[in-house]
């Protein structure tokens, strides 16, 4: 929020958000964005930077793994609304963020799509070189430690097929199968009908992370 002065009126919060989102979504130049919204190139750049800084200050309020049972139940219900796969709390995947080639060991940051990047793993773990496999990123993240130590994914329990099942994460075939991370059956051989149904149900839950 900015204050009006005798020289000019402040840009409204709504317009500042619009300028920032337009730049982030389209990647247009600040000059073009400024012309679109009737502000200068420099103002458009400052507005976007301030918007991102505000988001970063509040990020931990919104990007967080559910720990309390009530929060976990809410997350499970959201997945139940789109998928028949039970007990899903989160869907896991990596995202390659393009960067300029670093001066030190630039080849380490070239990913499988042949551009320089760093990887992020949402819960969020960032900064891994683009050449690192998704499964290794998970092994190096605090998310795995929290899951293995029981800090997360411990309740509520649900009885399925005679077993008490804790909350789960769903992932693609790149990740390791564990008691808390489910992945599809491999397509390297013919699958039974139940296995195909399992994969289809898991995919319907995991697709949200794409």
């Amino acid at each position: 929020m900015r204050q009006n002065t005798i020289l000019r009126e402040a840009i409204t919060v709504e317009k500042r958000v619009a300028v920032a989102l337009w730049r982030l979504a389209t990647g247009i130049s600040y000059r073009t964005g400024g012309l679109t919204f009737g502000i200068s190139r420099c103002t458009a750049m400052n507005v976007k930077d301030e918007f991102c800084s505000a988001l970063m200050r509040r990020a931990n309020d919104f990007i967080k793994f559910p720990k309390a049972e009530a929060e976990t139940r809410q997350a499970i219900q959201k997945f139940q609304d789109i998928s028949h796969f039970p007990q899903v709390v989160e869907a896991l995947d990596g995202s390659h963020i393009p960067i300029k080639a670093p001066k030190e060991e630039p080849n380490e940051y070239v990913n499988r799509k042949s551009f320089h990047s760093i990887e992020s793993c949402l819960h969020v773990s960032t900064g891994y070189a683009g050449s690192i496999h998704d499964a290794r990123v998970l092994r190096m993240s605090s998310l795995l430690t929290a899951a293995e130590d029981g800090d997360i994914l411990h309740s509520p329990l649900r009885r399925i097929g005679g077993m008490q099942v804790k909350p789960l994460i769903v992932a693609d075939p790149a990740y390791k199968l564990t008691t808390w991370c489910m992945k599809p059956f491999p397509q390297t051989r013919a699958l039974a009908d139940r296995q195909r149904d399992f994969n289809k149900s898991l995919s319907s839950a995991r697709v949200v992370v794409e």
Side-chain angles (χ1 to χ4, degrees), residues 164-203:
Q164 291 284 10
V165 179
K166 295 179 180 180
L168 303 168
I169 293 175
V170 288
D172 64 27
Y175 295 93
K176 180 182 178 181
L177 178 67
T178 69
T179 56
W180 50 268
C181 183
M182 296 289 104
K183 68 181 214 176
F185 286 98
Q187 301 288 344
T188 54
R189 55 185 173 82
L191 299 179
D193 289 343
R194 291 181 66 183
Q195 293 173 329
R196 284 196 296 269
D197 290 343
F198 178 94
N199 283 3
K200 184 177 180 180
S201 182
L202 186 149
S203 178

Side-chain angles (χ1 to χ4, degrees), residues 59-154:
N60 290 337
D61 294 340
F62 300 98
I63 304 175
K64 57 183 179 179
F65 203 96
K67 291 187 176 181
E69 184 168 323
E71 293 177 328
T72 305
R73 287 186 185 278
Q74 289 178 354
I76 290 173
Q77 184 57 54
K78 289 180 180 179
F79 276 95
Q80 286 280 208
D81 291 342
I82 62 170
S83 169
H84 296 300
F85 206 95
Q87 289 290 84
V88 178
V89 175
E90 295 286 351
L92 177 67
D93 205 354
S95 179
H96 287 275
I97 302 169
I99 61 170
K100 293 181 180 179
K103 293 181 180 179
E104 296 183 10
E105 301 181 359
N107 291 338
E108 288 294 314
Y109 290 83
V110 178
N111 61 43
R112 63 182 180 276
K113 297 182 180 179
S114 300
F115 64 86
H116 293 88
S117 68
I118 58 174
E119 267 213 277
S120 66
C121 208
L122 291 182
H123 103 100
V124 172
S125 297
T126 63
Y128 302 102
S131 62
I132 296 178
H133 193 275
D134 286 354
R136 188 178 173 206
V137 172
L138 176 59
R139 289 198 303 271
M140 298 166 65
S141 75
S142 58
L143 176 63
L144 182 137
T145 303
E148 296 288 348
D149 290 349
D151 294 335
I152 58 175
L153 303 173
H154 45 73

Side-chain angles (χ1 to χ4, degrees), residues 8-41:
R8 62 181 179 180
E9 290 188 358
I11 301 172
T12 64
V13 171
E14 291 79 6
K15 188 171 184 177
R16 296 167 72 84
V17 171
V19 169
L21 290 179
W22 192 257
R23 161 66 183 177
L24 294 170
T26 66
I28 59 171
S29 69
Y30 291 112
R31 186 176 301 280
T32 301
L35 289 171
T36 302
F37 289 94
I39 58 179
S40 70
R41 180 193 66 82

